[in-house]
Amino acid sequence: MADDKERTRIDDSGIIICDSPEYRALIAGLREMTALADRIPALVKPALMGERYLTTEQILTHLHISRRTLQNYRDKGIIPYIHIGGIILYPESAINEVLEKNYYSVLSIHKDQD
């Protein structure tokens, strides 16, 4: 029974044991594929005029805000967006500009108070 837990059946022709070179090669291959998959977003250029667009869900996650707050930001013109056929997209570069423009360094705040 203990041997069954340490084995992984690949197909009807054989069994790969966890301590075997085949198993180690499989794990190494999976790690290599994972590393490649992690690099893909950096290698892929945005498809629409060189700009990457974020969805509402991505913005909510990225900024840690509620849907209502995001709606308020759109209504007040704080965050730029594009509305196409019921889909709202946010240009990533413009969102980064808004964040940089509204960034306050802790050091500069303390200097102003002195």
Side-chain angles (χ1 to χ4, degrees):
M1 271 306 211
D3 287 339
D4 289 341
K5 291 181 181 179
E6 295 177 7
R7 294 181 184 183
T8 303
R9 182 173 290 284
I10 300 299
D11 57 42
D12 291 340
S13 66
I15 296 174
I16 295 179
I17 300 171
C18 291
D19 293 332
S20 71
E22 293 88 358
Y23 180 78
R24 288 188 196 113
L26 176 65
I27 296 300
L30 289 173
R31 286 187 180 132
E32 187 177 324
M33 298 272 294
T34 301
L36 178 62
D38 289 343
R39 289 194 326 257
I40 288 175
L43 300 174
V44 176
K45 292 185 178 182
L48 190 56
M49 298 186 323
E51 177 69 65
R52 183 176 9 204
Y53 291 87
L54 303 173
T55 64
T56 296
E57 294 303 320
Q58 289 171 319
I59 292 292
L60 295 176
T61 301
H62 186 63
L63 299 180
H64 304 286
I65 59 175
S66 68
R67 286 186 179 278
R68 183 66 193 143
T69 299
L70 183 57
Q71 178 67 51
N72 285 338
Y73 289 170
R74 283 195 312 263
D75 292 345
K76 293 178 181 179
I78 295 171
I79 290 184
Y81 66 95
I82 297 171
H83 190 239
I84 302 173
I87 297 173
I88 299 174
L89 299 173
Y90 304 86
E92 185 178 42
S93 63
I95 297 299
N96 288 335
E97 286 177 23
V98 169
L99 292 174
E100 288 174 14
K101 188 169 31 170
N102 291 288
Y103 175 77
Y104 295 97
S105 171
V106 175
L107 296 177
S108 66
I109 292 173
H110 288 298
K111 287 180 183 177
D112 292 342
Q113 291 177 356
D114 290 340

